[in-house]
Amino acid sequence: MVDEIIKSMQAKMDKTIDALKKDFVAIRTGKANPLMVEDVRVDYYGTSTPLNQLGKISVPEPRMIVITPFEKSVLKDIEKAILSSGLGLTPNNDGIGIRINIPELTGERRKELVKVLKQKTEEKKVAIRNLRRDANDDLKKKTELSQDELKGHTDKIQKITDSYIAKIADLEKEKEKEITTV
């Protein structure tokens, strides 16, 4: 029963790490990456649809993203969705597809991105700590555990939590280096 609580907590913590990695991909570093735009929502016949379901997203050059829609009629909608996405990207519609040139990051923009990075990192650390708290609460409900067993299990949960917090910190350092390196 205790092992199930810990395994469940670890599975949720793994999902939190995966979510952080996905958040980090969306943070621009001056290099093109299809993941930057794939989740942009496009109004497609009245339905909010992810961009990656409406066309092919490719990176022909290190600083360019090309979106080739499956239907040419959706070009204007894709262009509008990218402009209003808040990503700070300017799409160029050539009638066949959309080209997005990724601009070089300014020093000021790099500082803003580091702030966003730290905010996302802190959110995930809080999520990890909440999962720890939930697991500890579940353990305390197990009346068959002695105080010593409970202490041992909570210590194990804390060690696991510390390892996930360390993973988050490592990911943050890596991404911050990527953002700040010119």
Side-chain angles (χ1 to χ4, degrees):
M1 199 57 127
V2 172
D3 289 338
E4 288 174 24
I5 293 171
I6 291 174
K7 282 181 184 168
S8 171
M9 177 193 75
Q10 283 182 297
K12 291 174 185 170
M13 287 182 175
D14 285 336
K15 287 180 184 172
T16 303
I17 296 286
D18 291 343
L20 180 66
K21 287 177 182 175
K22 191 167 183 168
D23 287 348
F24 281 2
V25 168
I27 297 175
R28 273 197 306 134
T29 58
K31 293 181 209 144
N33 187 328
L35 296 173
M36 293 168 65
V37 295
E38 77 172 8
D39 288 331
V40 170
R41 307 299 273 184
V42 179
D43 183 31
Y44 181 65
Y45 296 108
T47 305
S48 179
T49 309
L51 181 55
N52 62 354
Q53 292 180 13
L54 298 175
K56 180 179 172 235
I57 304 170
S58 59
V59 179
E61 298 174 23
R63 295 173 45 112
M64 180 188 287
I65 297 173
V66 175
I67 302 158
T68 310
F70 302 131
E71 291 179 40
K72 302 293 179 234
S73 63
V74 78
L75 274 169
K76 290 266 187 235
D77 295 327
I78 292 173
E79 187 178 12
K80 193 166 45 170
I82 292 169
L83 283 169
S84 63
S85 68
L87 293 173
L89 300 173
T90 307
N92 297 314
N93 183 344
D94 63 9
I96 298 167
I98 296 194
R99 296 182 182 283
I100 302 170
N101 290 313
I102 308 298
E104 191 68 44
L105 294 175
T106 63
E108 187 177 311
R109 182 68 179 142
R110 289 178 196 276
K111 288 177 186 171
E112 288 173 23
L113 290 175
V114 168
K115 283 181 187 174
V116 169
L117 173 78
K118 293 198 179 295
Q119 176 188 356
K120 300 243 182 241
T121 303
E122 192 54 38
E123 288 170 7
K124 298 308 185 228
K125 285 180 181 178
V126 168
I128 294 287
R129 291 184 195 113
N130 287 340
L131 291 169
R132 173 194 61 196
R133 183 197 62 223
D134 294 346
N136 283 335
D137 289 348
D138 289 345
L139 277 180
K140 289 174 186 167
K141 292 176 187 170
K142 303 291 173 210
T143 54
E144 71 273 3
L145 293 176
S146 70
Q147 287 295 330
D148 288 342
E149 289 173 321
L150 184 63
K151 174 84 171 105
H153 292 307
T154 55
D155 288 348
K156 183 177 180 181
I157 287 172
Q158 184 59 49
K159 283 181 184 163
I160 293 168
T161 302
D162 291 343
S163 73
Y164 278 90
I165 297 287
K167 282 182 194 177
I168 289 173
D170 291 343
L171 289 169
E172 177 186 16
K173 283 180 197 159
E174 192 177 305
K175 187 67 177 184
E176 186 172 348
K177 183 179 175 188
E178 194 178 311
I179 291 171
T180 57
T181 305
V182 179

